[in-house]
Every structure is written in structure tokens, then in C-alpha cells.
Amino acid sequence: MTDISVIGLGEMGSALARAFLKKGRSVTVWNRTAEKADALVPLGAIAAGRVSDAIAASPTIIVCVSDYRATRAIFDRDEDAMAIAGKLIVQLSSGIPSEARAMASWAGGRGAHYVDGAIFAWPRQIGDDAVILASGDSVAFDMALAPLSLLGEVVPMGSEIGAASALFSGALAYLAGHWIGFAHGARICESEGLSAEMLGETLARIAPALGEDNRHMGRVIATGRYANPESTLQTAGNDIARLVDHAHIAGLPDAFPTFAADLFARAIAAGLGPEEHVAIAKL
Ligand code: NAP
């Protein structure tokens, strides 16, 4: 028997297994492509030949594969793997809340304890300054707390099993805008002879203010207090409209600025111009 079994050894699963090993836990690992265990065996991991062996090996099973469909494909491939009664299954693959609920009911139906987690970190942060949101009933959560704490700061999300994946999905929507916006912003800078690195450095410099803006937007939407902003939606809409002009002048693709400018223009047409930027949520 080992302390923990890690199923899935991609970038994130391998980082999880390494962190457990580094913190002195005995670890069994399994991956569909078996060779990915090779780098972990010299660190002390035991490579299981079958997923059912990995499940049998430990009371705590950490799953981190591409998504919930892959998770079910793994558990469904081998009837023996269904022997999860009494085990703690911690799902750290990303998904949406309905998938978390389905997985919880699947695991609960087989007598397993289930925690649905969401990792807010890059693999290099695991075991150090990672943040992991975890949903589950109090018995399952208490069982998961010690192993998850070896990976980073654990944020309890309560017994609503879809809560961790709901927040992860919300953050992913934010990040989608962040990645697209940065890529377009980098091209703007380059078109004027500036390095994309300067944009990265500048945004890093104002990171605390951006963090505060996220808090502010959350409060505005939650309380419905959109009036009397420091800067209006109208002002932001005018500024964003200029990005379409810039794209045409600089010969850049205009898909992203056009999408953003249209959204703000529709909000202004709907009479939201004097309100907070985030009043676009009303559309
Ligand atoms: P990855 O490097 O692409 O690894 C994917 C893993 O899923 C591999 O172990 C792969 O096995 C396995 N897999 C995929 N489909 C499968 C199937 N049908 N049957 C069995 N195994 C299957 O991805 P990752 O970066 O480790 O991400 C894993 C999860 O962590 C994702 O849900 C991701 O959203 C989440 N996450 C990642 C990060 C990050 O920075 N990387 C951050 C936060 C959350 P093979 O090796 O055999 O292909």
C-alpha cells in the first residue's frame, strides 16, 4: 500500500506526484501512456501496470487528466477499477459544474468519498504557492485536506460539489479575455516598434490595481450598484473603438477589437453609457 495514487501524468499530474514524493509521501502512479511514469520512478514513485492496481494501492486517489470524459474513460476501461468503495477520490481535472455533479453521484453510487477540486496554478507552483479550491461534503473534505495541503493553499468551497468548477470556469472566462487581449496588445506594441515584453512588464507593474479592479467588478455586479463610476462605460467604449481604427491603420487583424467595440457600442446604445464598465454584464 502507498499513501496516495496519482492517475494522469501530464504536465499537472506529474507535478502533483512530484510534490507528494518531495513531501515524503509514498506514491503510486498510473498514466495511459506508461512511459510518462519513467521520470517519477527514480524519485520513489511506484508505477502501476493497470489503473485498477493504482486504485487498489492507496486510500486516496488523485485524478488529473484532460477532462471528465477522460476520467470516465479511465474508470470504465476496467471493471476492477470500480472497486473504489471507501476510497477518497479527488478529481483535479478541470470541468464544468454539471460534470462535477455527475462525477460525484457516480463515485457516491460506488461508495467512494468524493472531492471536486480546481487548481489555480501552473505546474511549477505545485507544492509551493498553488491555490486549490475544493468542494465536497465535510467527511470527504476533511479526508482530502491533509494531502491537498501538501500541494498548496486549500480553499474550502463547501458541500455544493459544483462550486470549485464554477469558480474555475469563471476564472477561465476571465483568462480567455486576458490571453486574447494580451496577444492583440503585444501586436499593437510591436507594430510601433516596442517589445511585447514591455507590455508584460507594464501590466505586471499595475497588477495590484488590476487585482483591485476584479474585486470592485465583483462587488458592483453582486450589489447591482452600477451608478456613479470613477470612469464610465461610455469612456471605455470610446477608447476601445479606437483599437479598431488602429488595427486597420497598422494592418492587424481586427476580430478582437471589433468584438469588444461592438459589445460596448451596444451597451451605450442601451443607455448604459453613464454606468460602470462592467455594466456590459447586463447585456
Ligand atoms: P496534459 O499535459 O495535456 O496531460 C493530459 C493528461 O490526460 C495525460 O496524462 C493524458 O494521458 C491524459 N488523458 C487524456 N485523455 C485521456 C483518455 N481518454 N484516457 C486516459 N488518459 C487520458 O494536461 P495537464 O496540463 O496535465 O492538465 C491536466 C488537467 O489539469 C486539465 O484538466 C487542466 O485543465 C488542469 N490544469 C492544468 C494546469 C496547467 O497549467 N497545466 C493548470 C490548472 C489546471 P496520455 O499521457 O496518455 O496522453
Side-chain angles (χ1 to χ4, degrees), residues 87 103-104 109 111 113 186 204 206 243 251:
K87 305 257 178 191
M103 188 80 203
H113 302 282
I206 62 166
L243 294 180

Side-chain angles (χ1 to χ4, degrees), residues 76-127:
D76 288 348
R77 67 194 283 150
D78 183 345
E79 276 299 311
D80 293 345
M82 298 292 190
I84 57 172
K87 305 257 178 191
L88 169 65
I89 309 277
V90 181
Q91 168 67 299
L92 293 180
S93 318
S94 306
I96 56 176
S98 55
E99 293 178 306
R101 286 189 279 273
M103 188 80 203
S105 110
W106 175 87
R110 282 157 184 79
H113 302 282
Y114 182 73
V115 164
D116 199 86
I119 302 175
F120 281 61
W122 305 115
R124 63 174 175 271
Q125 294 176 278
I126 299 297

Side-chain angles (χ1 to χ4, degrees):
M1 290 292 286
T2 48
D3 297 323
I4 299 165
S5 291
V6 177
I7 293 177
L9 300 174
E11 295 294 337
M12 188 52 90
S14 294
L16 302 175
R18 272 195 307 273
F20 287 132
L21 288 164
K22 201 170 164 192
K23 302 216 167 159
R25 296 304 177 277
S26 55
V27 179
T28 299
V29 294
W30 180 88
N31 193 62
R32 177 180 61 179
T33 308
E35 301 75 58
K36 286 194 185 164
D38 292 351
L40 293 160
V41 171
L43 304 178
I46 294 168
R50 295 180 308 167
V51 69
S52 51
D53 296 335
I55 287 166
S58 310
T60 298
I61 316 293
I62 306 277
V63 183
C64 189
V65 290
S66 300
D67 50 31
Y68 285 65
R69 195 176 304 173
T71 304
R72 288 302 299 274
I74 289 169
F75 281 95
D76 288 348
R77 67 194 283 150
D78 183 345
E79 276 299 311
D80 293 345
M82 298 292 190
I84 57 172
K87 305 257 178 191
L88 169 65
I89 309 277
V90 181
Q91 168 67 299
L92 293 180
S93 318
S94 306
I96 56 176
S98 55
E99 293 178 306
R101 286 189 279 273
M103 188 80 203
S105 110
W106 175 87
R110 282 157 184 79
H113 302 282
Y114 182 73
V115 164
D116 199 86
I119 302 175
F120 281 61
W122 305 115
R124 63 174 175 271
Q125 294 176 278
I126 299 297
D128 189 9
D129 58 349
V131 172
I132 298 175
L133 273 47
S135 296
D137 64 46
S138 57
V139 174
F141 180 83
D142 287 349
M143 291 168 81
L145 186 57
L148 288 182
S149 296
L150 300 171
L151 305 174
E153 181 193 352
V154 180
V155 181
M157 295 300 297
S159 58
E160 171 42 57
I161 203 73
S165 58
L167 260 171
F168 186 86
S169 301
L172 197 57
Y174 173 81
L175 287 172
H178 161 96
W179 289 319
I180 299 170
F182 189 89
H184 189 82
R187 292 299 185 222
I188 291 176
C189 292
E190 287 172 348
S191 73
E192 297 297 331
L194 300 174
S195 143
E197 268 185 315
M198 286 183 74
L199 178 62
E201 286 302 328
T202 305
L203 290 173
R205 198 163 287 140
I206 62 166
L210 295 178
E212 206 40 57
D213 193 44
N214 285 324
R215 226 176 238 131
H216 175 70
M217 289 189 288
R219 253 185 246 125
V220 165
I221 294 179
T223 60
R225 292 201 195 104
Y226 293 93
N228 304 316
E230 228 182 343
S231 166
T232 64
L233 187 152
Q234 173 86 51
T235 302
N238 292 346
D239 291 345
I240 290 167
R242 279 197 300 277
L243 294 180
V244 180
D245 298 337
H246 179 274
H248 295 158
I249 293 165
L252 296 175
D254 67 358
F256 178 61
T258 299
F259 167 75
D262 284 353
L263 196 55
F264 276 80
R266 282 200 288 127
I268 292 166
L272 302 175
E275 301 195 0
E276 292 271 1
H277 304 160
V278 80
I280 54 170
K282 293 183 183 182
L283 294 182

